[in-house]
Amino acid sequence: MNTNTIVGNDRLSIIGTALTAPRTTPDNIAEFPVRDVWTGREYLVRIDADDLAFPVSAGDRVEVRGEAGWTVPGRSWRGEASRTLLQAQDVSAGELLLAA
């Protein structure tokens, strides 16, 4: 197991790059894909839009903590990879996360 991605009892903490800006669903959930910088694995991050404390743009570095869910199949005709759903409790800006 990669020591930089923390997994335990479906709890997950990743540092990654937002692939797109979040889109807000009709039920006020912000969703956006994030690629883990350590494993290259993609996650579909979901968080209550009111709990997203800062704007996220494509290319932004973020740290996400939450609970892993099912795998969302990718759509090959759109070049999408399969992504693990990550129900986030916390999303932090990560500009300096890898500087240490």
Side-chain angles (χ1 to χ4, degrees):
M1 175 162 80
N2 186 322
T3 58
N4 296 308
T5 301
I6 303 165
V7 179
N9 295 339
D10 294 324
R11 300 282 304 156
L12 186 65
S13 179
I14 65 167
I15 297 172
T17 303
L19 301 178
T20 67
R23 71 173 187 86
T24 303
T25 65
D27 55 349
N28 203 39
I29 301 296
E31 292 184 332
F32 59 102
V34 173
R35 178 176 292 124
D36 186 312
V37 297
W38 307 111
T39 65
R41 207 167 157 196
E42 292 186 15
Y43 296 87
L44 180 60
V45 174
R46 298 186 83 216
I47 187 168
D48 189 296
D50 297 331
D51 293 339
L52 192 57
F54 62 96
V56 175
S57 300
D60 286 353
R61 185 68 47 100
V62 294
E63 181 176 7
V64 183
R65 287 180 293 281
E67 295 183 20
W70 64 88
T71 299
V72 178
R75 296 176 284 191
S76 59
W77 64 92
R78 294 186 69 186
E80 290 179 352
S82 295
R83 299 173 173 145
T84 300
L85 182 70
L86 179 52
Q87 186 63 46
Q89 278 82 44
D90 181 52
V91 176
S92 305
E95 302 86 28
L96 302 175
L97 288 173
L98 295 179

